[in-house]
Amino acid sequence: MIAWVRAAIFAVACVLSCSLSAQPATQDARIADALSLRDRMQYLTDGVADPAVWSPAGDAFHYRRTVIGGFRFVSVRLADRERRDMFDHARLAAAIGAVTGGEYRADRLPFDSFAFEGDDRTLRITVADRRLRCSLASYVCATVAPPPGRPRAFGVTRDMRVPADATPRRSPDGRHEATVEGDNLVVREVASGRQVIRTSDGSPGLFYDPETIAWSPDSRRLALYRVRPGHQRMIYRVASSPPDRLEPKLITQLYPKPGDVVDLERPVLFTLDGARQVDVDPALFDNPYQLSPLAWRSDSASLGFTYNQRGHGVYRLVEVDAVSGTPREVVAERSDTFVYAPRMDHRDVDGTGREIVWMSERSGWNHLYLVDGRTGRTRPITQGDWVVRRIVHVDAERRQVYFAANGREKGDPYLQHFYRIGLDGRGLVRLTEAEAFHDVSFAPDMAHYVDTYSRIDLPPVSELRRTSDGALVATLEQADISQLTAAGWQTPETFIAKGRDGVTDIWGVIVRPRDFDPAKRYPVIENIYGAGFDNFVPKKWWPFGYHAGGDEVVGMQAQADLGYIVVQIDGMGTLNRSKAFHDVTWKNVGEGGAPDRILWHKAAAARYRQYDASRVGLYGGSLGGQNALGGLLFFPDFYKAAVAYNGCHDNRMDKISWNEQWMGWPVDESYSRSSNVDNAWRLKGDLLLIVGELDMNVDPAVSMQVADRLIKAGKDFELLVVPGGDHGVGRTEAPFDEVLGRQYDFFARTLGAPQPTR
């Protein structure tokens, strides 16, 4: 126990001041080099383009591209296809600095995207969580107040401390407006102010929500949700070292957790003629996790919404007759495990609901189906052992649907391509040619598209193409990385091995030190993030951007340069493969695909004698932090050391959203089986826990609960608490060097250095 206390106090006390002087001078220099690698390499490319954004008129598009030393925003007009600066970068940098107090370089503006406001001469940007409006006519920026409205914590529980936006919603014909006063709906004539409807059944415990008002296109009816508010669970954080005062501050956040009562919404219909009210029978949506916003059909005959059942086992499209208020199921997705609601998508073919393009995994792969909106009969549009990622556009006139998918073409099954197919399932056309990951931006009229594509070993290319036949109109950008290569950049190696079933390919990447010596055996460090909401092994070339929950490729390179082989692997349970592949996550978040990843490690060690699978460590943040510690708890015979940044650690303590998605509802024993808190007693190996005291994403108390259980179990470990640190501390937010340096130092002490091959 004495060893733990010493380590913990040392780590906490040194978060902002200790150097790494315990390491040899050469190691100090190597760590300093690793910490500066991103800054030294990030600005050595030219012509690396982000995906394009079209103007509302469709006559031009813009994108951000790299230049040596930074970035620039360029605009291209279809008429001449010439590239121009989007704005005066120096003047905009000065304008932003004038309102924020910061200093910005013209080639490193503090935002990577923007939106037009009203016209193409006014931009909306966000700088360090501050919303700004910037005029390109005067080059003056001003702070924009956040939009009014009542926030919903993780989309399911309204924050009742904040008033709802009761701004009157005007009918399409402009004759009436609707709002909520004293929890009741009120509808008035605009011209006279005469009250047409006023309900009397609203109350604080069952109120009409003005933010959900939806007028029918013919202005004869409206609908909105009446809401029974859910549990107002507040969690508390103490800012120990606030910059503006001596005393600590208490921070309170609405934070629903798994099992909590969420808002219960019920749609109510109103007809202006006769002030008729119809409460919709809730039998088809009686246990909601979430209902979508109410959406009227174009003919005003009905309205629809989706129902995501609590527990995520049913996802249903409900249609409500506008006259009778009778609801019916149009189509539904059901699963014995889970329906991944964030991917579910559907589109009305003509806006009337007579035909619907519906996304479903009923075949075992995510595909598109055409649904008869009256009978519910479905027939496949796409089929095969591959995955539709999203619906892009439905062309009702030509009866075609555009979509993005992966896995249909030979090679890497994660590479995204774009396609067009008839609603009858015939005439499939592949719009993207290169074997690469494609980001395609279509013009509003669908006549042209910009295709930006790359692989981790293929620098980006950006092309303007014609949609009708896919013909190349112009090559916009072709990245030049010669200076980056001259500075020592090397491409990660893609490596594939069989998973636990002996059949499924598991894909990952290997990053070696830039001074790799084939006569040595290197310890291995795995950058882990095993969540089910995406795949995480990089597929695009850009190596400097952060992936969700994990480090970017250049971060893996920096760690590798200290004397390791660094890898990242998509084990089973991650997204963009088959339904069976994805289902491994269900009630099993604690595993993180480890059986597949361990087999992958062993296959790499069998291929390369320099790969020392007897010394494997892990690092990760958020769910990756949970996975990193889980490696030592549940697979201690393989993993030897772990650094866990702001880990979720116990899914009952984390946010309701993705935890109930994967772990289910009601809360059951599976939560305990995956819990790093309940299983802390199993710890073997070396552990460094890192937590920001003001993590607003994952409740930081859960890291302290892990520490508590480890202490009680007599386990030795290290703890780094960062005052003022948020969820991305050391990874996506400062302090970087002080925190990341502790990771480098930790692995040097626990995994050791390369050894001669035997």
Side-chain angles (χ1 to χ4, degrees):
M1 190 65 66
I2 293 175
W4 177 86
V5 172
R6 177 182 54 78
I9 293 175
F10 176 81
V12 174
C14 291
V15 62
L16 295 177
S17 60
C18 280
S19 71
L20 301 174
S21 56
Q23 297 292 335
T26 54
Q27 181 71 354
D28 277 350
R30 288 166 65 86
I31 288 177
D33 184 78
L35 290 171
S36 66
L37 186 66
R38 186 176 192 268
D39 286 341
R40 287 186 289 113
M41 284 192 162
Q42 183 177 1
Y43 303 110
L44 297 179
T45 68
D46 184 71
V48 174
D50 289 347
V53 179
W54 287 84
S55 66
D59 59 348
F61 54 87
H62 70 267
Y63 55 88
R64 188 181 70 154
R65 71 182 300 272
T66 64
V67 294
I68 300 299
F71 303 86
R72 296 194 79 77
F73 290 86
V74 297
S75 175
V76 179
R77 295 194 177 276
L78 277 180
D80 57 20
R81 300 192 294 277
E82 288 192 13
R83 196 174 61 201
R84 303 172 175 87
D85 273 356
M86 184 73 215
F87 38 70
D88 186 321
H89 289 65
R91 291 186 68 189
L92 185 56
I96 296 170
V99 72
T100 65
E103 293 186 10
Y104 306 104
R105 289 177 47 162
D107 59 355
R108 298 186 192 177
L109 293 172
F111 60 91
D112 56 17
S113 63
F114 61 83
F116 290 116
E117 182 181 288
D119 55 34
D120 61 1
R121 304 300 295 162
T122 304
L123 308 183
R124 280 284 187 105
I125 61 174
T126 300
V127 177
D129 297 327
R130 189 169 180 176
R131 295 157 52 91
L132 302 179
R133 177 189 296 112
C134 297
S135 168
L136 298 183
S138 63
Y139 282 93
V140 172
C141 295
T143 299
V144 179
R150 176 176 284 156
R152 300 190 195 186
F154 307 111
V156 296
T157 305
R158 292 162 172 82
D159 190 338
M160 301 306 293
R161 299 171 299 178
V162 180
D165 177 14
T167 303
R169 273 70 172 174
R170 189 160 292 191
S171 60
D173 64 8
R175 296 176 58 195
H176 295 85
E177 58 185 18
T179 187
V180 169
E181 299 174 358
D183 300 315
N184 280 288
L185 174 71
V186 178
V187 181
R188 295 185 175 92
E189 289 182 344
V190 172
S192 67
R194 183 178 69 88
Q195 183 173 286
V196 178
I197 295 173
R198 177 180 287 273
T199 64
S200 59
D201 53 354
S203 67
L206 191 62
F207 60 86
Y208 289 92
D209 184 354
E211 297 176 4
T212 68
I213 292 171
W215 282 96
S216 63
D218 65 6
S219 300
R220 296 175 59 197
R221 297 178 175 87
L222 74 155
L224 76 167
Y225 284 124
R226 189 161 49 182
V227 181
R228 186 182 301 281
H231 174 51
Q232 298 282 293
R233 178 189 292 277
M234 301 292 171
I235 66 170
Y236 306 94
R237 300 171 183 83
V238 175
S240 64
S241 310
D244 58 341
R245 56 188 269 184
L246 177 64
E247 291 296 317
K249 283 183 179 179
L250 181 66
I251 298 174
T252 305
Q253 180 187 15
L254 177 64
Y255 194 98
K257 295 185 177 184
D260 284 353
V261 176
V262 300
D263 288 356
L264 182 67
E265 297 179 322
R266 295 286 188 255
V268 185
L269 278 169
F270 293 89
T271 302
L272 267 61
D273 185 13
R276 182 167 170 263
Q277 174 178 340
V278 178
D279 293 331
V280 180
D281 183 349
L284 288 174
F285 47 92
D286 61 342
N287 183 24
Y289 173 79
Q290 193 174 55
L291 303 182
S292 69
L294 299 166
W296 285 90
R297 307 298 194 198
S298 59
D299 59 5
S300 298
S302 63
L303 59 86
F305 59 91
T306 57
Y307 163 64
N308 183 9
Q309 183 171 287
R310 193 79 184 265
H312 302 283
V314 177
Y315 188 87
R316 174 181 289 136
L317 176 61
V318 179
E319 182 181 86
V320 179
D321 182 86
V323 177
S324 67
T326 303
R328 68 182 184 89
E329 176 183 294
V330 179
V331 62
E333 183 82 347
R334 295 175 173 85
S335 175
D336 292 334
T337 54
F338 62 86
V339 177
Y340 185 42
R343 168 154 282 184
M344 291 297 298
D345 195 5
H346 71 279
R347 304 288 177 89
D348 276 10
V349 173
D350 63 1
T352 66
R354 288 192 291 264
E355 288 184 306
I356 298 155
V357 177
W358 180 258
M359 191 174 282
S360 171
E361 288 187 303
R362 63 189 62 190
S363 71
W365 297 84
N366 204 47
H367 278 293
L368 301 179
Y369 294 80
L370 187 64
V371 179
D372 185 314
R374 295 188 176 90
T375 68
R377 185 176 68 88
T378 64
R379 53 186 174 85
I381 299 173
T382 61
Q383 302 179 71
D385 293 353
W386 46 280
V387 176
V388 173
R389 287 188 178 225
R390 63 185 177 92
I391 301 169
V392 176
H393 174 72
V394 175
D395 187 329
E397 182 179 347
R398 293 182 174 87
R399 295 192 60 76
Q400 295 174 329
V401 57
Y402 292 76
F403 62 94
N406 64 268
R408 184 180 181 275
E409 313 307 324
K410 293 181 180 179
D412 188 334
Y414 293 99
L415 297 181
Q416 177 174 272
H417 287 273
F418 284 73
Y419 302 86
R420 178 178 65 230
I421 194 172
L423 295 181
D424 59 1
R426 299 176 181 176
L428 179 67
V429 174
R430 175 180 163 188
L431 298 171
T432 46
E433 298 177 354
E435 182 185 351
F437 190 100
H438 295 260
D439 282 307
V440 170
S441 303
F442 287 92
D445 64 1
M446 297 297 292
H448 294 86
Y449 61 91
V450 177
D451 180 9
T452 303
Y453 61 87
S454 69
R455 293 189 310 266
I456 59 170
D457 61 344
L458 175 68
V461 177
S462 187
E463 299 172 336
L464 176 65
R465 289 183 174 268
R466 191 167 54 231
T467 305
S468 59
D469 57 4
L472 178 65
V473 176
T475 298
L476 303 168
E477 303 285 354
Q478 193 152 5
D480 179 357
I481 66 167
S482 57
Q483 289 195 31
L484 180 65
T485 303
W489 169 254
Q490 61 184 21
T491 299
E493 175 193 348
T494 295
F495 187 77
I496 309 163
K498 297 300 180 185
R500 70 189 76 181
D501 60 3
V503 176
T504 304
D505 284 340
I506 303 298
W507 288 67
V509 293
I510 297 174
V511 179
R512 294 176 176 83
R514 287 179 292 155
D515 61 356
F516 181 74
D517 184 347
K520 293 181 179 179
R521 281 170 58 82
Y522 289 84
V524 179
I525 299 175
E526 181 183 343
N527 173 18
I528 175 60
Y529 199 83
F533 56 81
D534 208 342
N535 61 280
F536 300 95
V537 173
K539 299 299 174 182
K540 304 180 187 181
W541 181 82
W542 182 247
F544 306 105
Y546 288 90
H547 299 289
D551 207 355
E552 75 291 277
V553 174
V554 76
M556 291 190 278
Q557 185 66 68
Q559 178 69 79
D561 285 350
L562 294 170
Y564 307 92
I565 291 173
V566 181
V567 304
Q568 190 173 29
I569 313 159
D570 278 323
M572 289 188 182
T574 49
L575 190 60
N576 295 318
R577 301 287 287 277
S578 69
K579 173 63 172 167
F581 189 103
H582 200 194
D583 274 349
V584 172
T585 298
W586 190 60
K587 293 187 177 294
N588 195 30
V589 167
E591 179 200 276
D596 311 296
R597 297 187 285 106
I598 290 171
L599 289 171
W600 189 97
H601 281 289
K602 291 179 177 179
R607 172 81 63 86
Y608 304 111
R609 63 175 184 167
Q610 301 88 0
Y611 196 106
D612 189 350
S614 69
R615 293 184 292 161
V616 181
L618 295 147
Y619 72 92
S622 196
L623 186 276
Q626 181 176 352
N627 296 148
L629 174 52
L632 302 185
L633 303 181
F634 303 116
F635 303 93
D637 293 338
F638 186 78
Y639 292 110
K640 307 305 180 187
V643 178
Y645 289 85
N646 288 319
C648 305
H649 295 311
D650 190 311
N651 304 103
R652 296 165 294 192
M653 281 287 291
D654 195 23
K655 65 195 76 65
I656 191 174
S657 52
W658 73 266
N659 291 279
E660 279 196 10
Q661 173 72 69
W662 311 123
M663 297 299 295
W665 176 91
V667 173
D668 60 17
E669 74 284 351
S670 67
Y671 281 79
S672 179
R673 288 199 305 268
S674 284
S675 168
N676 289 348
V677 176
D678 288 356
N679 291 283
W681 62 272
R682 300 177 183 272
L683 179 69
K684 293 182 182 179
D686 297 296
L687 170 65
L688 169 58
L689 288 173
I690 298 175
V691 59
E693 70 172 1
L694 300 183
D695 187 343
M696 301 302 288
N697 185 318
V698 172
D699 187 345
V702 75
S703 288
M704 306 311 291
Q705 291 177 0
V706 170
D708 176 61
R709 294 292 183 91
L710 290 171
I711 294 169
K712 290 175 179 174
K715 300 294 182 178
D716 189 30
F717 68 104
E718 298 180 33
L719 173 66
L720 177 65
V721 179
V722 183
D726 202 340
H727 190 60
V729 67
R731 299 176 295 128
T732 60
E733 63 189 53
F736 293 104
D737 292 2
E738 297 85 349
V739 177
L740 191 55
R742 297 308 308 167
Q743 173 183 313
Y744 294 161
D745 174 65
F746 173 81
F747 282 130
R749 290 185 284 106
T750 57
L751 294 180
Q755 301 170 353
T757 56
R758 292 185 290 273

